[in-house]
Amino acid sequence: MIGFVLRRLLQLAPVLLLASTAIWAMIYAVPGGPIGAIAGDNANPEQIAAATAQFGLDRPVLVQYADWLWNAIRGDFGISIRGRAPVLQLIGERLPATLQLAVAATIVSLVIGIPVAIASALRPGSWLDRVLSGWSALALGVPTFWLGILLILVFAVELRWLPSASAYVPIWENPIGALRNLALPALTLGIYVSGILARFLRASLVSELRADYVRTARSKGLPERQIVGVHILRNALLPFVTIVGLMMANFIGGAVVTEAVFTYPGIGRLLIQAISTRDYPLIQGCIVIILVLYIAINLAVDVLYAYIDPRIDYR
Amino acid sequence: MVDPVLSVRGLKVDFGGEGRSVPVVRGVDFDVYPNEVLCIVGESGSGKSVTSLAVTGLLSETARVAGSIRLCGIDVTTAAPETLRKMRGSDVGFIFQDPTTTLNPVLTVGRQITEGEVAHGRLKKSDAHARAAELLREVDIADPEGRAGQYPHQFSGGMRQRAVIAMAMAGQPKLIIADEPTTALDVTVQAQVLAVLARRQAEMGSAVILITHDLGVVAEVADRVAVMYGGRIVETAPVAEIFASPRHPYTRALLRSIPRIDTSDSRLDPIPGQPPIPGALPQGCAFQPRCAVGQDRPICAAEDPALRAVGENRLSACHFAEELPVAPLAAEPRLHAVAAPKKPEPLLVVDGLKVHFPVKTGVLRRTTGWVKAVDGVSLSVNPGETVSLVGESGCGKTTTGRAIMGLIRATGGSIRFAGQSIRDLDRGSMRKARRQMQYVFQDPYASLNPVLSVEDIVAEPLRIHGLYDEMGGARRIAELFDLVGLSRTMLGRFPSEFSGGQKQRIGIARALALQPKLLILDEPVAALDVSIQAQVINLLQDLQRELGLAYLFIAHNLSVVRHVSDRVAVMYLGRIVEESSRDGLYDLPVHPYTQSLLSAAPVPDPAVRDTRRRIVLEGEIPNPASPPSGCTFHPRCFRATEICSAEAPAFERYLDLPTRAACHHAGPLDGRRNAFASGAMETAS
Amino acid sequence: MKKIASRKLSILGRLLASKGSALALIFLVGITLAAIFADFLPLNPVGQKLANALKGPSATNWFGTDELGRDILSRVIFGARTSLVTAGGAVMIAALVGVPIGLVAGFFGGWRDAALMRFVDVLLALPAILFAMAMIAVLGRSQAAALIAVGLTGIPSFARITRAQVLTLRKRDFVTAVEAFGGTATYNMFRTILPNSWSPIFVQVVVLCSVAILLEAALSFLGVGVPPPTPSWGEMLRTGKSYLHEAPYYAVLPGIVLTLTILSFDVLGRALSGLLEGHRDPIIAPKGEGATP
């Protein structure tokens, strides 16, 4: 088991290293270089010199890189240029909000996606299947930002039930307030992902339904409920676990658009702000943290998968 | 007379939606009695599997079933789904073909064996494990307690199929339906599984319907036989009579078309044409276009004959059943051919060929071991000669062929072709060498590029070598089509428009395009229907005579090998264990593995089944990554002694015979000359 | 060759036979034609009339007017041009880079496979939208940047699908057969494997069009996509969102066109996948590529 985890880590390490190198190198690709970004486009020579010295930009590139990498490994991404606060602190403030939304959206997507997939897979080609598959296509096709706008229009502007801008309220402090604020963004994200999940699960259920072992189970006289509930679902849910994990990983940084629609204070919005203000240390920090979480969730999913699938020998 | 367990009358099954429906089963009548084994024989598309699924109501909803089916007093066609469900698993048990897919990969074997009984309320969940172990013990699985808690992927193929038998028997059903239960298994494992099936059937007195295409298996296990063709039963009879004097032209033709392990080398008598496709059946009798009896008779083309009595316990669906000669099909004893001692320069000489694949494990994926897929194979092929490599799956025969062809890199040994070493040649020289040596693949469906026309497929080797115009261009391709018996009108078509036998002809034409001297034939008929195999075998023999080709024939089917070969080499775990002239090997095998293999091969003659005793080998082929010490066969060998586990035997000549064998205890069985002679033999320890 | 042409025609016929894919095809052809010939239509996407700002749909302005009094329908049609050009270009980049990567990685295996697929993994290490945003942060905001950024995020799906296809084909006997008569690796790759891989690649092109349009619109919605004053759907929704109270149609109507476009590509992709490859659903990008939640 440990060997398996180590091997996956060894495979992921170069990805992390390469990606973070690319992120670091980004600054050097910016027109005007990092100094322009830090000191501003209209800086005079003295300001530039000061900034150069302050951020150690007069050292050789490799030294700067090694220094950055070493600091990044210790969790030090420097000081935000605009916010004048440690990058890690700024990210830390936003992380709980993002995680709370990710969990809520995952729950919504599972609650919608699994029943839709099962109902449509049991009778492939029936009217119910067509309606539900149409629903999945719609869920996938409607852009989240437009869906968010529609939801705001209905529930905030017309009905005035829910706020149009969602704040972060920790659920353990004020459950009702948290749910009121989470409802629309979680629904927006959840509906979109439920389309992916339903489509995936339906496809694997349909192919499992045709598997030989289903015929064997029928030939033993098992009740249909048991065939679907035990034999088929167990097989179909194995790959499904991976997809759910990947979707969760995607929520961490990929919820940018939804966070923007609802002005929700997650990491995604922090990143947009950082990009629009060209706050490079903050951009780097955000992306590296998102990357690390993304890879960590991927790894966790791999390990979980190897653990629950008896066929995988994780030695 | 006792009541039948199953009684089927006028069964019809149609598939497909509105508008276009395809009749797959077209009026089938039969009965099965307690303690009887009924074999249903037929080629692909004959409707045999669909029939078996229909009688238990297991067909999908797209199938429309008509007729009457009475199983243990239940009318299956009208019964409620719940009644049918209760019937399955208590009155009838199923064994399906492929044991790798019939078990659910994520549930333990024990659970799967007993869950039927649990669902029917006959077994408490708490007793299930003990019951599973008991059932596994009854099908000879070692350590049943531990095995019941394992998953299917931890079982070998033969063990899985035995577990499936245990599962089918769990409810002590009155009827067991086995659909090609041993087709996916190797011959020695098939022998084990058939033995277990026969023993359990006898112990429980169930009726068995065994569906197969293998006439050898039929002769081995059947009491009564029903032959299906084009969705109907064309003949039923007790097993001895159907083999001795078939009363339907199809049965007769089928028996004459199969190569037999025990009889003469006379040319096979293939059935012309293709088996009919459901939905495109000929008018009148479905067999009429291929039939020697009814070919020119108007009644056969006009009227589908009814199944009628043609003798005691015998039915035949032929207008002219009485015309068939009653004389038994000749089972002429094999003449001992005296091989002409010719000593030409060998075309291909392989010496000590090794193909080892690394096994990588651990965090750093380091090579920690080697799979010795081929471990020191030596053989030679003379011009115009057929040398066969036989063995069970995983023995390394295909790897050997591919390594000779340069498709897999050899890790040791030498390969010489026409006097020149071709191992580790650079690309240019290898390409030249390959012109003389071509490969024919097993699966004709997979070996032709689907996006090219067959003309382009056959021309491709010429184009690659830049010889298209030099060798005659389109004319040459047309000649090649003539050579393999395909019509020139087919040149522009795509592979998907051809049947399996035709595709294999295209594959052979392509291999011949460059005028090679040697063909490596990798199971060239294994994927074909029984009646088509004979056509392709005859074609290969004709081509060999006309073109003076040498063949390296790779196969697992011992009957086919006996029919085509001049010399035969038997492989086990990457090594040749015995090699001899064809008759030398079949008549007087000296290696215990060869002896077991030959005795395990079913003979399509029910007369020998009671007199012949089989050597049923224990266990299965070990993992080639960790082969047993010494002689790799010793754990399964009935002659093994201490030396066998300690020391690998040398491959050397046995006495003054043309045979070479790698065995410390080489020698004939009981001193008898013929492995098929009657009388008791040694049995497995 | 006649055969292949007739096969293509029959696939088109079968596409049109199903109501859903026929509608999708008609919609896409219509919107493409409108985008191409927008200059010849009586449209005015830039004419400002402040007196006319934020007027609801009417006979003269079917989709109403925006905050500067411009005709929203005109802007939607010119926006289609932006969207289709960006998405089409992006998919082309993705295919031109991704397919060869998959081909080489799958065919040769070994270190080439490892190196190329690690590169692809790096592209996948971030959600597509973040990756695209990071790219734009470097390249500066422009239509070309949006096109390149969206295109780069599409590389992995082409590389993976091609590689998977090559890996299954590589084991097939007809590929080994070519090797057996002495065909070179290059011959095999381009003459045997590639012609047998067009179906999944083509399906992926159609599917990725919907993903690319969605991604481009999302970037514009976030204010980092195609810069104004070029009309783009995402940008319109972004502005429209500020006027939800006064002019709900502003965000709703362009959104409908955007959604229909994405849906049409998706419906078409799935139908093609069923026809060309015999299954109803395309393989859903296993890493949630292009997902823009």
Side-chain angles (χ1 to χ4, degrees):
Chain A
M1 191 70 178
I2 290 168
F4 178 82
V5 175
L6 275 179
R7 198 160 70 240
R8 289 294 296 143
L9 267 177
L10 270 183
Q11 280 167 353
L12 291 170
V15 173
L16 189 57
L17 192 69
L18 264 172
S20 53
T21 308
I23 291 159
W24 176 81
M26 216 168 70
I27 288 193
Y28 284 86
V30 174
I35 299 173
I38 293 163
D41 293 332
N42 309 321
N44 58 40
E46 290 83 56
Q47 283 170 314
I48 289 178
T52 306
Q54 186 194 343
F55 287 90
L57 295 171
D58 45 1
R59 296 170 300 163
V61 172
L62 275 179
V63 174
Q64 290 184 48
Y65 172 63
D67 195 39
W68 177 80
L69 194 64
W70 174 238
N71 286 329
I73 288 168
R74 292 181 306 167
D76 177 6
F77 295 98
I79 307 278
S80 159
I81 296 171
R82 311 289 167 208
R84 297 291 168 198
V87 166
L88 205 61
Q89 183 195 327
L90 289 175
I91 295 173
E93 287 163 7
R94 300 295 186 98
L95 202 56
T98 289
L99 291 176
Q100 183 164 310
L101 177 58
V103 170
T106 306
I107 292 171
V108 171
S109 66
L110 290 175
V111 165
I112 302 175
I114 294 181
V116 164
I118 294 178
S120 61
L122 285 183
R123 299 230 167 263
S126 65
W127 66 268
L128 185 65
D129 179 27
R130 264 178 273 162
V131 168
L132 293 177
S133 295
W135 157 261
S136 307
L138 205 64
L140 275 166
V142 176
T144 43
F145 43 94
W146 191 55
L147 180 62
I149 289 173
L150 291 185
L151 290 176
I152 291 176
L153 205 55
V154 174
F155 292 101
V157 176
E158 293 298 324
L159 299 174
R160 293 174 189 280
W161 289 353
L162 298 165
S164 67
S166 301
Y168 169 58
V169 181
I171 193 143
W172 53 89
E173 284 174 13
N174 178 359
I176 294 176
L179 287 180
R180 271 175 58 84
N181 279 290
L182 271 178
L184 292 184
L187 206 58
T188 306
L189 272 178
I191 285 178
Y192 173 77
V193 172
S194 78
I196 299 181
L197 297 185
R199 217 179 242 192
F200 183 88
L201 186 58
R202 181 191 171 281
S204 61
L205 280 172
V206 167
S207 78
E208 293 297 336
L209 266 165
R210 290 195 211 104
D212 282 352
Y213 68 79
V214 175
R215 194 181 53 183
T216 312
R218 291 217 171 96
S219 79
K220 283 186 278 194
L222 296 188
E224 204 63 17
R225 201 168 7 92
Q226 195 177 338
I227 295 176
V228 174
V230 176
H231 282 256
I232 295 174
L233 216 52
R234 266 203 204 192
N235 277 284
L237 283 179
L238 282 176
F240 187 66
V241 166
T242 313
I243 297 291
V244 174
L246 293 173
M247 288 302 132
M248 268 191 93
N250 233 323
F251 286 147
I252 302 290
V256 190
V257 183
T258 309
E259 291 182 0
V261 175
F262 296 98
T263 54
Y264 186 79
I267 287 194
R269 250 171 53 89
L270 184 66
L271 181 60
I272 299 179
Q273 287 160 3
I275 288 178
S276 60
T277 56
R278 296 210 287 172
D279 189 341
Y280 284 93
L282 189 55
I283 299 178
Q284 286 174 337
C286 282
I287 293 183
V288 170
I289 291 292
I290 289 169
L291 196 66
V292 168
L293 286 172
Y294 196 79
I295 285 178
I297 293 180
N298 267 314
L299 181 66
V301 166
D302 278 357
V303 172
L304 179 69
Y305 188 83
Y307 184 71
I308 57 179
D309 188 339
R311 282 164 296 187
I312 293 183
D313 184 1
Y314 43 73
R315 263 169 296 170
Chain B
M1 194 162 183
V2 265
D3 287 335
V5 178
L6 170 69
S7 180
V8 175
R9 290 293 173 271
L11 176 68
K12 288 192 172 119
V13 184
D14 289 22
F15 280 96
E18 315 92 51
R20 232 189 90 72
S21 85
V22 177
V24 176
V25 176
R26 309 178 300 132
V28 159
D29 305 338
F30 65 92
D31 296 314
V32 190
Y33 294 91
N35 209 7
E36 175 190 51
V37 179
L38 172 74
C39 277
I40 302 183
V41 200
E43 296 177 270
S44 53
S46 62
K48 54 190 194 304
S49 294
V50 172
T51 303
S52 74
L53 291 173
V55 299
T56 51
L58 274 177
L59 285 173
S60 69
E61 281 155 21
T62 53
R64 282 183 304 284
V65 181
S68 102
I69 302 163
R70 291 197 70 77
L71 207 167
C72 303
I74 297 166
D75 187 338
V76 173
T77 43
T78 57
E82 190 58 17
T83 318
L84 286 180
R85 182 180 77 71
K86 291 205 173 110
M87 172 194 86
R88 288 182 222 125
S90 54
D91 291 336
V92 53
F94 254 99
I95 301 165
F96 293 106
Q97 172 171 350
D98 187 353
T100 52
T101 57
T102 48
L103 291 171
N104 190 334
V106 299
L107 297 178
T108 62
V109 172
R111 168 164 186 175
Q112 296 188 61
I113 289 176
T114 52
E115 69 183 341
E117 282 187 285
V118 173
H120 287 96
R122 291 195 305 264
L123 184 66
K124 273 189 288 180
K125 253 198 167 141
S126 51
D127 300 338
H129 187 83
R131 170 77 177 142
E134 180 191 336
L135 285 163
L136 284 176
R137 187 174 296 111
E138 281 168 358
V139 292
D140 302 338
I141 284 182
D143 182 25
E145 295 282 339
R147 286 293 185 178
Q150 288 188 332
Y151 290 92
H153 71 276
Q154 292 163 298
F155 278 48
S156 68
M159 277 165 56
R160 262 180 240 158
Q161 197 64 318
R162 276 185 276 165
V164 172
I165 292 174
M167 191 166 80
M169 304 269 182
Q172 306 199 318
K174 299 189 189 69
L175 175 68
I176 292 159
I177 299 178
D179 188 354
E180 303 266 13
T182 56
T183 307
L185 304 175
D186 277 318
V187 60
T188 58
V189 181
Q190 164 172 295
Q192 295 168 2
V193 169
L194 286 179
V196 166
L197 182 62
R199 182 168 58 72
R200 292 292 291 144
Q201 187 258 334
E203 284 165 10
M204 303 195 349
S206 336
V208 171
I209 299 178
L210 193 137
I211 294 153
T212 182
H213 68 280
D214 186 335
L215 292 163
V217 170
V218 174
E220 208 78 46
V221 302
D223 295 319
R224 219 149 48 84
V225 183
V227 181
M228 281 192 81
Y229 188 83
R232 294 192 53 199
I233 290 182
V234 295
E235 178 169 11
T236 59
V239 64
E241 289 165 43
I242 214 153
F243 279 88
S245 59
R247 307 304 303 156
H248 191 280
Y250 172 65
T251 318
R252 189 176 166 78
L254 197 61
L255 286 168
R256 290 173 65 92
S257 71
I258 50 168
R260 294 179 57 161
I261 200 168
D262 58 338
T263 55
S264 76
D265 348 284
S266 57
R267 191 177 159 78
L268 297 176
D269 198 355
I271 309 178
Q274 308 291 332
I277 300 157
L281 290 172
Q283 279 280 313
C285 173
F287 186 58
Q288 180 266 335
R290 306 175 73 190
C291 181
V293 177
Q295 204 128 57
D296 305 318
R297 290 175 150 150
I299 187 171
C300 295
E303 203 181 301
D304 204 0
L307 192 63
R308 63 197 168 90
V310 291
E312 204 185 331
N313 292 328
R314 306 201 56 174
L315 303 169
S316 168
C318 177
H319 294 297
F320 303 100
E322 284 76 11
E323 275 183 29
L324 291 176
V326 185
L329 281 173
E332 306 158 25
R334 168 175 286 280
L335 297 169
H336 290 292
V338 187
K342 43 182 178 183
K343 203 76 193 121
E345 198 58 26
L347 191 60
L348 174 74
V349 180
V350 177
D351 192 31
L353 180 71
K354 286 185 180 163
V355 182
H356 294 182
F357 299 111
V359 181
K360 298 191 174 187
T361 50
V363 178
L364 298 172
R365 310 269 86 193
R366 272 178 316 178
T367 303
T368 51
W370 296 88
V371 174
K372 298 175 178 175
V374 178
D375 196 24
V377 161
S378 304
L379 56 88
S380 68
V381 183
N382 295 331
E385 180 191 42
T386 302
V387 174
S388 289
L389 267 183
V390 263
E392 298 179 279
S393 54
C395 72
K397 55 190 192 298
T398 293
T399 311
T400 305
R402 296 201 168 196
I404 293 171
M405 198 66 210
L407 298 171
I408 297 174
R409 186 168 282 281
T411 39
S414 75
I415 307 166
R416 297 179 71 78
F417 184 83
Q420 183 203 2
S421 169
I422 57 165
R423 203 193 133 201
D424 297 332
L425 281 185
D426 64 89
R427 278 179 199 187
S429 332
M430 190 67 205
R431 278 181 68 181
K432 274 204 199 96
R434 274 180 182 161
R435 281 183 53 186
Q436 306 283 314
M437 188 164 80
Q438 287 296 317
Y439 205 92
V440 175
F441 293 83
Q442 165 172 3
D443 185 356
Y445 296 88
S447 62
L448 305 179
N449 187 343
V451 303
L452 294 183
S453 73
V454 293
E455 181 178 8
D456 289 332
I457 287 174
V458 175
E460 203 173 16
L462 296 174
R463 295 218 169 95
I464 285 174
H465 286 270
L467 297 167
Y468 183 72
D469 294 317
E470 192 183 314
M471 304 260 289
R475 211 188 59 239
R476 166 83 181 141
I477 308 305
E479 282 168 13
L480 284 165
F481 265 58
D482 295 343
L483 200 59
V484 298
L486 287 173
S487 160
R488 292 188 182 200
T489 57
M490 294 171 170
L491 281 169
R493 300 199 192 161
F494 287 83
S496 56
E497 299 169 64
F498 292 85
S499 68
Q502 289 172 320
K503 281 185 192 167
Q504 198 57 295
R505 285 170 195 266
I506 295 164
I508 293 168
R510 172 176 62 182
L512 294 174
L514 289 165
Q515 299 180 320
K517 294 198 179 105
L518 170 73
L519 287 191
I520 299 178
L521 303 159
D522 186 358
E523 300 266 19
V525 298
L528 305 177
D529 259 322
V530 184
S531 74
I532 305 301
Q533 288 191 359
Q535 297 176 3
V536 174
I537 290 172
N538 280 355
L539 172 68
L540 287 171
Q541 291 187 314
D542 293 345
L543 290 170
Q544 182 166 46
R545 230 183 1 262
E546 279 169 44
L547 307 172
L549 293 169
Y551 291 156
L552 178 60
F553 193 91
I554 297 165
H556 72 282
N557 185 324
L558 294 154
S559 312
V560 172
V561 165
R562 175 152 212 182
H563 188 80
V564 302
S565 314
D566 294 307
R567 281 188 297 127
V568 181
V570 179
M571 280 189 79
Y572 187 81
L573 270 185
R575 290 186 194 159
I576 292 179
V577 295
E578 180 165 2
E579 193 235 289
S580 182
S581 71
R582 188 255 319 260
D583 293 327
L585 187 109
Y586 279 77
D587 293 340
L588 192 67
V590 299
H591 194 286
Y593 178 65
T594 316
Q595 289 160 352
S596 328
L597 207 56
L598 289 174
S599 96
V603 180
D605 184 358
V608 301
R609 86 171 182 213
D610 299 327
T611 53
R612 187 177 146 225
R613 270 182 66 191
R614 283 177 162 182
I615 305 167
V616 176
L617 281 185
E618 285 180 0
E620 288 171 47
I621 298 181
N623 179 0
S626 52
S629 63
C631 171
T632 51
F633 184 59
H634 84 261
R636 304 176 72 195
C637 183
F638 51 89
R639 283 191 197 143
T641 55
E642 268 167 43
I643 186 174
C644 299
S645 53
E647 196 178 306
F651 186 58
E652 50 199 15
R653 191 160 294 280
Y654 176 71
L655 303 179
D656 56 343
L657 294 172
T659 304
R660 287 186 298 165
C663 180
H664 294 297
H665 306 292
L669 277 175
D670 269 2
R672 283 172 202 278
R673 264 190 78 73
N674 193 333
F676 298 105
S678 55
M681 292 179 188
E682 291 174 62
T683 46
S685 51
Chain C
M1 272 338 314
K2 235 191 328 188
K3 264 231 134 87
I4 303 233
S6 74
R7 192 171 121 86
K8 276 184 188 152
L9 275 181
S10 88
I11 282 174
L12 187 65
R14 281 158 70 192
L15 267 187
L16 289 174
S18 130
K19 251 179 269 165
S21 34
L23 281 176
L25 203 61
I26 291 168
F27 179 81
L28 288 178
V29 169
I31 203 154
T32 311
L33 288 178
I36 293 172
F37 298 108
D39 292 323
F40 304 103
L41 299 174
L43 300 172
N44 186 357
V46 287
Q48 302 185 4
K49 234 188 269 172
L50 283 177
N52 217 0
L54 296 176
K55 290 272 158 43
S58 66
T60 42
N61 303 105
W62 294 358
F63 278 23
T65 58
D66 68 5
E67 79 283 7
L68 299 174
R70 297 175 295 193
D71 177 37
I72 291 181
L73 180 61
S74 301
R75 291 185 65 76
V76 166
I77 290 175
F78 276 86
R81 187 183 275 185
T82 316
S83 232
L84 293 175
V85 166
T86 315
V91 171
M92 212 144 73
I93 290 183
L96 286 178
V97 181
V99 170
I101 288 180
L103 203 57
V104 170
F107 191 86
F108 291 104
W111 65 268
R112 293 182 187 87
D113 186 25
L116 288 171
M117 292 327 279
R118 279 300 90 79
F119 166 69
V120 167
D121 283 349
V122 171
L123 292 181
L124 276 179
L126 281 177
I129 182 95
L130 286 191
F131 185 86
M133 283 167 64
M135 282 308 298
I136 290 170
V138 174
L139 296 173
R141 190 180 173 190
S142 70
Q143 183 166 9
L147 192 150
I148 292 171
V150 176
L152 285 179
T153 63
I155 291 174
S157 60
F158 276 106
R160 284 173 164 236
I161 280 195
T162 313
R163 178 173 177 273
Q165 178 74 4
V166 172
L167 284 180
T168 48
L169 288 174
R170 188 97 181 73
K171 285 189 221 108
R172 297 276 292 279
D173 281 346
F174 66 82
V175 175
T176 318
V178 171
E179 214 178 308
F181 347 113
T184 59
T186 330
Y187 179 94
N188 231 339
M189 209 154 77
F190 290 105
R191 304 301 270 302
T192 315
I193 287 180
L194 199 56
N196 277 290
S197 310
W198 289 131
S199 294
I201 292 173
F202 183 61
V203 169
Q204 192 60 20
V205 164
V206 177
V207 171
L208 218 68
C209 275
S210 80
V211 175
I213 286 176
L214 182 59
L215 193 52
E216 185 276 325
L219 289 173
S220 297
F221 179 80
L222 294 176
V224 296
V226 179
T230 314
S232 79
W233 293 343
E235 178 71 33
M236 294 175 79
L237 292 185
R238 173 186 169 83
T239 326
K241 194 193 158 234
S242 321
Y243 300 99
L244 278 185
H245 289 270
E246 307 91 311
Y249 60 87
Y250 188 177
V252 172
L253 295 178
I256 290 178
V257 179
L258 169 62
T259 303
L260 285 178
T261 312
I262 294 168
L263 271 179
S264 298
F265 274 116
D266 182 70
V267 166
L268 220 52
R270 283 193 302 146
L272 275 175
S273 158
L275 289 177
L276 293 173
E277 297 170 73
H279 46 75
R280 236 184 104 200
D281 292 318
I283 299 117
I284 286 163
K287 287 259 182 182
E289 289 144 25
T292 53

